[in-house]
mmCIF file of all heavy atoms in Angstrom:
data_model
loop_
_atom_site.group_PDB
_atom_site.id
_atom_site.type_symbol
_atom_site.label_atom_id
_atom_site.label_comp_id
_atom_site.label_asym_id
_atom_site.label_seq_id
_atom_site.Cartn_x
_atom_site.Cartn_y
_atom_site.Cartn_z
ATOM 1 N N ILE A 28 -21.880 14.834 0.171
ATOM 2 C CA ILE A 28 -21.237 15.984 -0.551
ATOM 3 C C ILE A 28 -22.168 17.133 -0.609
ATOM 4 O O ILE A 28 -21.792 18.304 -0.369
ATOM 5 C CB ILE A 28 -20.906 15.472 -1.996
ATOM 6 C CG1 ILE A 28 -19.762 14.525 -1.958
ATOM 7 C CG2 ILE A 28 -20.555 16.719 -2.896
ATOM 8 C CD1 ILE A 28 -19.421 13.911 -3.300
ATOM 9 N N LYS A 29 -23.448 16.952 -0.895
ATOM 10 C CA LYS A 29 -24.457 18.036 -0.844
ATOM 11 C C LYS A 29 -24.569 18.712 0.528
ATOM 12 O O LYS A 29 -24.755 19.939 0.599
ATOM 13 C CB LYS A 29 -25.833 17.530 -1.322
ATOM 14 C CG LYS A 29 -25.985 17.168 -2.758
ATOM 15 C CD LYS A 29 -27.324 16.630 -3.149
ATOM 16 C CE LYS A 29 -27.366 16.314 -4.719
ATOM 17 N NZ LYS A 29 -28.684 15.784 -4.981
ATOM 18 N N ALA A 30 -24.396 17.956 1.602
ATOM 19 C CA ALA A 30 -24.440 18.489 2.948
ATOM 20 C C ALA A 30 -23.234 19.315 3.338
ATOM 21 O O ALA A 30 -23.228 20.064 4.255
ATOM 22 C CB ALA A 30 -24.568 17.332 3.937
ATOM 23 N N GLY A 31 -22.098 19.196 2.468
ATOM 24 C CA GLY A 31 -20.896 19.954 2.714
ATOM 25 C C GLY A 31 -19.737 19.292 3.351
ATOM 26 O O GLY A 31 -18.803 19.974 3.871
ATOM 27 N N ALA A 32 -19.664 17.946 3.215
ATOM 28 C CA ALA A 32 -18.467 17.256 3.662
ATOM 29 C C ALA A 32 -17.223 17.750 2.987
ATOM 30 O O ALA A 32 -17.220 18.003 1.811
ATOM 31 C CB ALA A 32 -18.639 15.762 3.476
ATOM 32 N N SER A 33 -16.092 17.838 3.739
ATOM 33 C CA SER A 33 -14.869 18.311 3.193
ATOM 34 C C SER A 33 -14.037 17.154 2.595
ATOM 35 O O SER A 33 -13.314 17.220 1.683
ATOM 36 C CB SER A 33 -14.055 18.997 4.250
ATOM 37 O OG SER A 33 -14.681 19.976 4.871
ATOM 38 N N ALA A 34 -14.196 15.856 3.316
ATOM 39 C CA ALA A 34 -13.539 14.679 2.821
ATOM 40 C C ALA A 34 -14.496 13.526 3.142
ATOM 41 O O ALA A 34 -15.190 13.553 4.127
ATOM 42 C CB ALA A 34 -12.207 14.545 3.592
ATOM 43 N N LEU A 35 -14.445 12.619 2.213
ATOM 44 C CA LEU A 35 -15.246 11.402 2.457
ATOM 45 C C LEU A 35 -14.202 10.138 2.432
ATOM 46 O O LEU A 35 -13.472 10.012 1.460
ATOM 47 C CB LEU A 35 -16.288 11.067 1.386
ATOM 48 C CG LEU A 35 -17.514 12.003 1.400
ATOM 49 C CD1 LEU A 35 -18.407 11.501 0.216
ATOM 50 C CD2 LEU A 35 -18.268 11.806 2.653
ATOM 51 N N THR A 36 -14.271 9.420 3.501
ATOM 52 C CA THR A 36 -13.361 8.257 3.623
ATOM 53 C C THR A 36 -14.173 7.023 3.579
ATOM 54 O O THR A 36 -15.115 6.825 4.417
ATOM 55 C CB THR A 36 -12.525 8.322 4.924
ATOM 56 O OG1 THR A 36 -11.695 9.454 4.829
ATOM 57 C CG2 THR A 36 -11.658 7.039 5.090
ATOM 58 N N LEU A 37 -13.903 6.121 2.646
ATOM 59 C CA LEU A 37 -14.655 4.818 2.518
ATOM 60 C C LEU A 37 -13.789 3.741 3.122
ATOM 61 O O LEU A 37 -12.581 3.831 3.256
ATOM 62 C CB LEU A 37 -14.838 4.580 1.048
ATOM 63 C CG LEU A 37 -15.305 5.644 0.106
ATOM 64 C CD1 LEU A 37 -15.551 5.064 -1.350
ATOM 65 C CD2 LEU A 37 -16.620 6.273 0.604
ATOM 66 N N HIS A 38 -14.417 2.717 3.510
ATOM 67 C CA HIS A 38 -13.734 1.481 4.010
ATOM 68 C C HIS A 38 -13.382 0.528 2.909
ATOM 69 O O HIS A 38 -14.268 0.257 2.046
ATOM 70 C CB HIS A 38 -14.514 0.778 5.079
ATOM 71 C CG HIS A 38 -14.103 1.050 6.419
ATOM 72 N ND1 HIS A 38 -13.009 0.477 7.139
ATOM 73 C CD2 HIS A 38 -14.479 2.144 7.320
ATOM 74 C CE1 HIS A 38 -12.884 1.027 8.380
ATOM 75 N NE2 HIS A 38 -13.720 2.024 8.441
ATOM 76 N N ILE A 39 -12.128 0.012 2.911
ATOM 77 C CA ILE A 39 -11.736 -0.862 1.847
ATOM 78 C C ILE A 39 -12.560 -2.222 2.000
ATOM 79 O O ILE A 39 -12.738 -2.891 0.972
ATOM 80 C CB ILE A 39 -10.218 -1.133 1.939
ATOM 81 C CG1 ILE A 39 -9.748 -1.677 0.567
ATOM 82 C CG2 ILE A 39 -9.881 -2.032 3.035
ATOM 83 C CD1 ILE A 39 -8.209 -1.549 0.445
ATOM 84 N N GLU A 40 -13.137 -2.481 3.113
ATOM 85 C CA GLU A 40 -13.778 -3.652 3.299
ATOM 86 C C GLU A 40 -15.296 -3.591 2.953
ATOM 87 O O GLU A 40 -16.036 -4.521 3.079
ATOM 88 C CB GLU A 40 -13.773 -4.122 4.735
ATOM 89 C CG GLU A 40 -12.293 -4.289 5.377
ATOM 90 C CD GLU A 40 -11.755 -2.983 5.844
ATOM 91 O OE1 GLU A 40 -12.432 -1.957 5.894
ATOM 92 O OE2 GLU A 40 -10.535 -3.055 6.346
ATOM 93 N N SER A 41 -15.749 -2.377 2.553
ATOM 94 C CA SER A 41 -17.177 -2.194 2.239
ATOM 95 C C SER A 41 -17.476 -2.683 0.816
ATOM 96 O O SER A 41 -16.552 -3.182 0.099
ATOM 97 C CB SER A 41 -17.555 -0.714 2.367
ATOM 98 O OG SER A 41 -16.768 0.082 1.529
ATOM 99 N N LYS A 42 -18.767 -2.600 0.422
ATOM 100 C CA LYS A 42 -19.172 -3.109 -0.860
ATOM 101 C C LYS A 42 -19.259 -2.058 -1.968
ATOM 102 O O LYS A 42 -19.386 -0.893 -1.645
ATOM 103 C CB LYS A 42 -20.453 -3.831 -0.640
ATOM 104 C CG LYS A 42 -20.539 -4.999 0.223
ATOM 105 C CD LYS A 42 -21.835 -5.653 0.406
ATOM 106 C CE LYS A 42 -21.741 -6.811 1.369
ATOM 107 N NZ LYS A 42 -23.121 -7.465 1.595
ATOM 108 N N GLY A 43 -19.044 -2.496 -3.221
ATOM 109 C CA GLY A 43 -19.057 -1.599 -4.268
ATOM 110 C C GLY A 43 -17.811 -1.555 -5.035
ATOM 111 O O GLY A 43 -16.747 -2.071 -4.591
ATOM 112 N N ASP A 44 -17.770 -0.870 -6.225
ATOM 113 C CA ASP A 44 -16.605 -0.652 -7.008
ATOM 114 C C ASP A 44 -15.764 0.484 -6.440
ATOM 115 O O ASP A 44 -16.151 1.740 -6.657
ATOM 116 C CB ASP A 44 -16.956 -0.401 -8.490
ATOM 117 C CG ASP A 44 -15.748 -0.228 -9.340
ATOM 118 O OD1 ASP A 44 -14.593 0.113 -8.847
ATOM 119 O OD2 ASP A 44 -15.933 -0.335 -10.617
ATOM 120 N N LEU A 45 -14.850 0.298 -5.545
ATOM 121 C CA LEU A 45 -14.184 1.408 -4.802
ATOM 122 C C LEU A 45 -13.513 2.407 -5.653
ATOM 123 O O LEU A 45 -13.525 3.502 -5.463
ATOM 124 C CB LEU A 45 -13.208 0.817 -3.755
ATOM 125 C CG LEU A 45 -13.816 0.121 -2.506
ATOM 126 C CD1 LEU A 45 -12.714 -0.378 -1.648
ATOM 127 C CD2 LEU A 45 -14.700 1.152 -1.824
ATOM 128 N N LYS A 46 -12.777 1.926 -6.788
ATOM 129 C CA LYS A 46 -12.110 2.793 -7.646
ATOM 130 C C LYS A 46 -13.143 3.824 -8.342
ATOM 131 O O LYS A 46 -12.837 5.054 -8.308
ATOM 132 C CB LYS A 46 -11.380 2.047 -8.771
ATOM 133 C CG LYS A 46 -10.049 1.602 -8.286
ATOM 134 C CD LYS A 46 -9.111 1.234 -9.487
ATOM 135 C CE LYS A 46 -7.772 0.813 -9.010
ATOM 136 N NZ LYS A 46 -6.904 0.367 -10.082
ATOM 137 N N THR A 47 -14.215 3.338 -8.757
ATOM 138 C CA THR A 47 -15.322 4.165 -9.299
ATOM 139 C C THR A 47 -15.820 5.169 -8.296
ATOM 140 O O THR A 47 -16.014 6.310 -8.610
ATOM 141 C CB THR A 47 -16.400 3.374 -9.887
ATOM 142 O OG1 THR A 47 -15.906 2.500 -10.925
ATOM 143 C CG2 THR A 47 -17.502 4.243 -10.470
ATOM 144 N N LEU A 48 -16.045 4.673 -7.082
ATOM 145 C CA LEU A 48 -16.496 5.543 -6.038
ATOM 146 C C LEU A 48 -15.520 6.692 -5.644
ATOM 147 O O LEU A 48 -15.939 7.779 -5.485
ATOM 148 C CB LEU A 48 -16.950 4.667 -4.810
ATOM 149 C CG LEU A 48 -18.034 3.658 -5.003
ATOM 150 C CD1 LEU A 48 -18.213 2.941 -3.749
ATOM 151 C CD2 LEU A 48 -19.327 4.412 -5.346
ATOM 152 N N LEU A 49 -14.301 6.307 -5.499
ATOM 153 C CA LEU A 49 -13.283 7.208 -5.177
ATOM 154 C C LEU A 49 -13.171 8.243 -6.335
ATOM 155 O O LEU A 49 -12.925 9.529 -6.036
ATOM 156 C CB LEU A 49 -11.942 6.527 -4.948
ATOM 157 C CG LEU A 49 -11.912 5.750 -3.591
ATOM 158 C CD1 LEU A 49 -10.589 4.855 -3.659
ATOM 159 C CD2 LEU A 49 -11.900 6.634 -2.406
ATOM 160 N N GLN A 50 -13.142 7.888 -7.527
ATOM 161 C CA GLN A 50 -13.103 8.768 -8.655
ATOM 162 C C GLN A 50 -14.218 9.772 -8.655
ATOM 163 O O GLN A 50 -14.041 10.919 -8.951
ATOM 164 C CB GLN A 50 -13.046 8.005 -9.995
ATOM 165 C CG GLN A 50 -11.716 7.303 -10.195
ATOM 166 C CD GLN A 50 -11.730 6.298 -11.380
ATOM 167 O OE1 GLN A 50 -12.847 5.874 -11.830
ATOM 168 N NE2 GLN A 50 -10.586 5.940 -11.944
ATOM 169 N N ASN A 51 -15.397 9.244 -8.372
ATOM 170 C CA ASN A 51 -16.638 10.063 -8.215
ATOM 171 C C ASN A 51 -16.462 11.139 -7.172
ATOM 172 O O ASN A 51 -16.779 12.339 -7.478
ATOM 173 C CB ASN A 51 -17.843 9.140 -7.907
ATOM 174 C CG ASN A 51 -19.097 9.954 -7.834
ATOM 175 O OD1 ASN A 51 -19.270 11.072 -8.344
ATOM 176 N ND2 ASN A 51 -20.105 9.429 -7.087
ATOM 177 N N ILE A 52 -15.849 10.773 -6.047
ATOM 178 C CA ILE A 52 -15.647 11.718 -5.012
ATOM 179 C C ILE A 52 -14.669 12.879 -5.459
ATOM 180 O O ILE A 52 -14.915 14.062 -5.327
ATOM 181 C CB ILE A 52 -15.155 11.089 -3.746
ATOM 182 C CG1 ILE A 52 -16.138 10.130 -3.163
ATOM 183 C CG2 ILE A 52 -14.649 12.062 -2.677
ATOM 184 C CD1 ILE A 52 -15.678 9.200 -2.091
ATOM 185 N N LYS A 53 -13.643 12.381 -6.145
ATOM 186 C CA LYS A 53 -12.550 13.385 -6.574
ATOM 187 C C LYS A 53 -13.123 14.390 -7.579
ATOM 188 O O LYS A 53 -12.873 15.517 -7.618
ATOM 189 C CB LYS A 53 -11.319 12.636 -7.049
ATOM 190 C CG LYS A 53 -10.521 12.019 -5.972
ATOM 191 C CD LYS A 53 -9.105 11.637 -6.488
ATOM 192 C CE LYS A 53 -8.201 12.856 -6.671
ATOM 193 N NZ LYS A 53 -7.671 13.385 -5.392
ATOM 194 N N GLU A 54 -13.894 13.807 -8.496
ATOM 195 C CA GLU A 54 -14.489 14.623 -9.578
ATOM 196 C C GLU A 54 -15.397 15.636 -9.026
ATOM 197 O O GLU A 54 -15.653 16.683 -9.785
ATOM 198 C CB GLU A 54 -15.178 13.678 -10.548
ATOM 199 C CG GLU A 54 -14.321 12.881 -11.488
ATOM 200 C CD GLU A 54 -15.058 11.785 -12.240
ATOM 201 O OE1 GLU A 54 -16.259 11.688 -12.098
ATOM 202 O OE2 GLU A 54 -14.306 11.024 -12.908
ATOM 203 N N GLN A 55 -15.943 15.469 -7.845
ATOM 204 C CA GLN A 55 -16.831 16.445 -7.299
ATOM 205 C C GLN A 55 -16.114 17.513 -6.392
ATOM 206 O O GLN A 55 -16.701 18.354 -5.727
ATOM 207 C CB GLN A 55 -17.986 15.827 -6.562
ATOM 208 C CG GLN A 55 -18.795 14.993 -7.529
ATOM 209 C CD GLN A 55 -20.082 14.509 -6.872
ATOM 210 O OE1 GLN A 55 -20.889 15.378 -6.525
ATOM 211 N NE2 GLN A 55 -20.319 13.248 -6.853
ATOM 212 N N GLY A 56 -14.749 17.401 -6.450
ATOM 213 C CA GLY A 56 -13.946 18.482 -5.841
ATOM 214 C C GLY A 56 -13.694 18.406 -4.309
ATOM 215 O O GLY A 56 -13.337 19.389 -3.747
ATOM 216 N N ILE A 57 -13.889 17.215 -3.790
ATOM 217 C CA ILE A 57 -13.613 17.070 -2.362
ATOM 218 C C ILE A 57 -12.560 16.017 -2.102
ATOM 219 O O ILE A 57 -12.279 15.197 -2.983
ATOM 220 C CB ILE A 57 -14.863 16.818 -1.430
ATOM 221 C CG1 ILE A 57 -15.311 15.416 -1.585
ATOM 222 C CG2 ILE A 57 -15.947 17.795 -1.757
ATOM 223 C CD1 ILE A 57 -16.396 14.993 -0.492
ATOM 224 N N SER A 58 -12.008 16.016 -1.036
ATOM 225 C CA SER A 58 -10.884 15.035 -0.651
ATOM 226 C C SER A 58 -11.509 13.620 -0.471
ATOM 227 O O SER A 58 -12.585 13.501 0.004
ATOM 228 C CB SER A 58 -10.134 15.406 0.535
ATOM 229 O OG SER A 58 -9.526 16.714 0.370
ATOM 230 N N CYS A 59 -10.785 12.632 -0.919
ATOM 231 C CA CYS A 59 -11.208 11.212 -0.786
ATOM 232 C C CYS A 59 -10.154 10.442 -0.009
ATOM 233 O O CYS A 59 -8.940 10.651 -0.158
ATOM 234 C CB CYS A 59 -11.575 10.624 -2.115
ATOM 235 S SG CYS A 59 -10.221 10.351 -3.190
ATOM 236 N N GLY A 60 -10.695 9.566 0.854
ATOM 237 C CA GLY A 60 -9.858 8.690 1.662
ATOM 238 C C GLY A 60 -10.369 7.253 1.585
ATOM 239 O O GLY A 60 -11.421 6.902 1.240
ATOM 240 N N LEU A 61 -9.358 6.365 2.147
ATOM 241 C CA LEU A 61 -9.703 4.984 2.229
ATOM 242 C C LEU A 61 -9.267 4.517 3.639
ATOM 243 O O LEU A 61 -8.132 4.959 4.066
ATOM 244 C CB LEU A 61 -8.949 4.231 1.159
ATOM 245 C CG LEU A 61 -9.541 2.774 0.778
ATOM 246 C CD1 LEU A 61 -10.859 2.853 0.399
ATOM 247 C CD2 LEU A 61 -8.574 2.233 -0.273
ATOM 248 N N SER A 62 -10.052 3.731 4.285
ATOM 249 C CA SER A 62 -9.748 3.258 5.635
ATOM 250 C C SER A 62 -9.542 1.822 5.649
ATOM 251 O O SER A 62 -10.194 1.079 4.893
ATOM 252 C CB SER A 62 -10.860 3.698 6.615
ATOM 253 O OG SER A 62 -10.528 3.264 7.911
ATOM 254 N N ILE A 63 -8.631 1.295 6.609
ATOM 255 C CA ILE A 63 -8.517 -0.090 6.741
ATOM 256 C C ILE A 63 -8.723 -0.443 8.187
ATOM 257 O O ILE A 63 -8.388 0.296 9.083
ATOM 258 C CB ILE A 63 -7.081 -0.608 6.356
ATOM 259 C CG1 ILE A 63 -5.968 0.142 7.072
ATOM 260 C CG2 ILE A 63 -6.920 -0.471 4.799
ATOM 261 C CD1 ILE A 63 -4.592 -0.497 6.845
ATOM 262 N N LYS A 64 -9.434 -1.511 8.404
ATOM 263 C CA LYS A 64 -9.613 -2.164 9.705
ATOM 264 C C LYS A 64 -8.303 -2.748 10.311
ATOM 265 O O LYS A 64 -7.387 -3.012 9.505
ATOM 266 C CB LYS A 64 -10.715 -3.230 9.778
ATOM 267 C CG LYS A 64 -12.080 -2.734 9.366
ATOM 268 C CD LYS A 64 -13.073 -3.875 9.450
ATOM 269 C CE LYS A 64 -14.529 -3.508 9.157
ATOM 270 N NZ LYS A 64 -15.405 -4.665 9.274
ATOM 271 N N PRO A 65 -8.277 -3.035 11.630
ATOM 272 C CA PRO A 65 -7.052 -3.565 12.205
ATOM 273 C C PRO A 65 -6.549 -4.838 11.526
ATOM 274 O O PRO A 65 -5.334 -5.129 11.520
ATOM 275 C CB PRO A 65 -7.389 -3.735 13.685
ATOM 276 C CG PRO A 65 -8.492 -2.787 13.901
ATOM 277 C CD PRO A 65 -9.278 -2.666 12.616
ATOM 278 N N ASP A 66 -7.480 -5.669 11.005
ATOM 279 C CA ASP A 66 -7.060 -6.978 10.473
ATOM 280 C C ASP A 66 -6.744 -6.873 8.991
ATOM 281 O O ASP A 66 -6.486 -7.926 8.329
ATOM 282 C CB ASP A 66 -8.112 -7.966 10.751
ATOM 283 C CG ASP A 66 -8.308 -8.307 12.216
ATOM 284 O OD1 ASP A 66 -7.372 -8.038 12.959
ATOM 285 O OD2 ASP A 66 -9.281 -8.645 12.628
ATOM 286 N N THR A 67 -6.812 -5.767 8.362
ATOM 287 C CA THR A 67 -6.574 -5.543 6.914
ATOM 288 C C THR A 67 -5.145 -5.059 6.753
ATOM 289 O O THR A 67 -4.793 -4.045 7.305
ATOM 290 C CB THR A 67 -7.536 -4.549 6.221
ATOM 291 O OG1 THR A 67 -8.924 -5.121 6.474
ATOM 292 C CG2 THR A 67 -7.291 -4.394 4.769
ATOM 293 N N GLY A 68 -4.326 -5.763 5.935
ATOM 294 C CA GLY A 68 -2.953 -5.398 5.714
ATOM 295 C C GLY A 68 -2.850 -4.054 4.909
ATOM 296 O O GLY A 68 -3.660 -3.852 4.098
ATOM 297 N N PRO A 69 -1.840 -3.344 5.262
ATOM 298 C CA PRO A 69 -1.559 -2.083 4.577
ATOM 299 C C PRO A 69 -1.524 -2.168 3.018
ATOM 300 O O PRO A 69 -1.974 -1.275 2.360
ATOM 301 C CB PRO A 69 -0.229 -1.542 5.169
ATOM 302 C CG PRO A 69 -0.168 -2.217 6.586
ATOM 303 C CD PRO A 69 -0.775 -3.572 6.305
ATOM 304 N N LYS A 70 -1.005 -3.262 2.522
ATOM 305 C CA LYS A 70 -0.870 -3.412 1.069
ATOM 306 C C LYS A 70 -2.240 -3.311 0.311
ATOM 307 O O LYS A 70 -2.237 -3.134 -0.943
ATOM 308 C CB LYS A 70 -0.169 -4.715 0.729
ATOM 309 C CG LYS A 70 1.345 -4.677 1.074
ATOM 310 C CD LYS A 70 1.994 -5.902 0.638
ATOM 311 C CE LYS A 70 3.577 -5.952 1.088
ATOM 312 N NZ LYS A 70 4.221 -7.187 0.678
#
């Protein structure tokens, strides 16, 4: 974010509290995304 990213996309398969991390991204005024690998279902 400090470097100037416009959007940060996290992987749903990564570690950490994703909801908290996504909220943190949004609160800092940039777009946030979530990615899924080919074996992860859309739901």
Side-chain angles (χ1 to χ4, degrees):
I28 289 176
K29 287 180 180 178
S33 306
L35 286 179
T36 297
L37 316 183
H38 261 274
I39 201 164
E40 304 89 357
S41 60
K42 296 179 180 179
D44 182 342
L45 286 179
K46 277 196 175 179
T47 299
L48 295 177
L49 292 167
Q50 287 168 341
N51 180 23
I52 293 169
K53 287 193 78 71
E54 286 169 2
Q55 298 194 57
I57 74 167
S58 299
C59 68
L61 199 58
S62 181
I63 59 171
K64 291 182 180 181
D66 294 335
T67 299
K70 290 182 179 179

